[in-house]
Amino acid sequence: SQQGEEDPQALSIQEGENATMNCSYKTSINNLQWYRQNSGRGLVHLILIRSNEREKHSGRLRVTLDTSKKSSSLLITASRAADTASYFCATDRMGNQFYFGTGTSLTVIP
Amino acid sequence: DTAVSQTPKYLVTQMGNDKSIKCEQNLGHDTMYWYKQDSKKFLKIMFSYNNKELIINETVPNRFSPKSPDKAHLNLHINSLELGDSAVYFCASSLRGNIQYFGAGTRLSVL
């Protein structure tokens, strides 16, 4: 299937540490997006990286994309307790269809 | 004002019933979506719709049907509800298939 698959499924770190989560997908894409979901809430867009880009930064977030390996990583630096959430990658193929996975559940311990 | 709003937030119903979930967006977006999130947090796209095209995920049972009275609304109708339909349903919208804005979700429990 097209869906993105996040790894690890769960990650627990101390406040101030960096968190890295990965996403793999199966077919060619136009772009890849990362979203955050707080418990009981809808998803919130974090960052979009296009297929011709290799790296993108937004505040404490750094996203990389390797289209040859069909993978992406999201790095959150200097994590805070408020970063505790599930993180999803989303890939598109036909422009109007986005495929998510099961997410990485991040817990940041104060 | 909430950008993407869906109602109700919670829906508890019996097997076999028919129910609807409403979604409205005030962002002027041209595309709206429905997703189903199961208990393992897997988020599956069900439909995407703009004023030109409805794209249906082939795995979605035909008991589910989207209805769009206008560009700002995409409602989800579910007929003959089954236990396996219990999940959280999210509506989202985007402009030309880019960044999506999600509603807060509707938690459906089928008893």
Side-chain angles (χ1 to χ4, degrees), chain B residues 79-95:
Chain B
N79 295 326
S80 303
L81 277 156
E82 300 177 357
L83 293 176
D85 298 332
S86 295
V88 182
Y89 291 83
F90 287 98
C91 175
S93 71
S94 73
L95 187 63

Side-chain angles (χ1 to χ4, degrees), chain A residues 18-72:
Chain A
N18 295 341
T20 300
M21 50 206 88
N22 304 296
C23 169
S24 60
Y25 56 93
K26 295 180 179 166
T27 63
S28 60
I29 59 172
N30 294 319
N31 62 60
L32 185 144
Q33 303 180 43
W34 284 91
Y35 288 79
R36 184 186 74 230
Q37 183 181 32
N38 289 87
S39 181
R41 309 291 291 273
L43 279 75
V44 174
H45 181 264
L46 295 176
I47 198 164
L48 180 153
I49 186 165
R50 301 197 185 283
S51 59
N52 61 354
E53 298 176 310
R54 291 298 168 257
E55 187 171 312
K56 205 159 183 180
H57 297 255
S58 177
R60 293 184 296 113
L61 305 180
R62 173 178 169 250
V63 169
T64 62
L65 179 64
D66 187 336
T67 53
S68 66
K69 295 182 179 178
K70 293 187 171 56
S71 68
S72 173

Side-chain angles (χ1 to χ4, degrees), chain B residues 9-52:
Chain B
K9 190 170 176 65
Y10 300 97
L11 185 54
V12 181
T13 187
Q14 299 287 331
M15 272 176 52
N17 284 350
D18 302 337
K19 290 293 179 185
S20 295
I21 306 172
K22 294 184 177 182
C23 180
E24 176 183 5
Q25 55 94 4
N26 62 6
L27 298 167
H29 287 169
D30 58 4
T31 307
M32 297 183 72
Y33 311 81
W34 276 106
Y35 290 88
K36 177 182 180 181
Q37 187 171 45
D38 63 22
S39 58
K40 296 182 179 179
K41 291 196 173 179
F42 175 57
L43 195 66
K44 182 178 87 168
I45 187 161
M46 302 176 72
F47 306 99
S48 66
Y49 183 81
N50 62 24
N51 58 355
K52 298 177 184 176

Side-chain angles (χ1 to χ4, degrees), chain A residues 5-21:
Chain A
E5 296 180 4
E6 296 87 352
D7 171 66
Q9 287 190 332
L11 181 60
S12 183
I13 59 174
Q14 296 288 331
E15 200 165 31
E17 293 180 340
N18 295 341
T20 300
M21 50 206 88

Side-chain angles (χ1 to χ4, degrees), chain B residues 22-25 32 49 67-75:
Chain B
K22 294 184 177 182
C23 180
E24 176 183 5
Q25 55 94 4
M32 297 183 72
Y49 183 81
K67 291 192 181 358
S68 180
D70 55 58
K71 289 174 66 173
H73 297 82
L74 184 66
N75 303 324

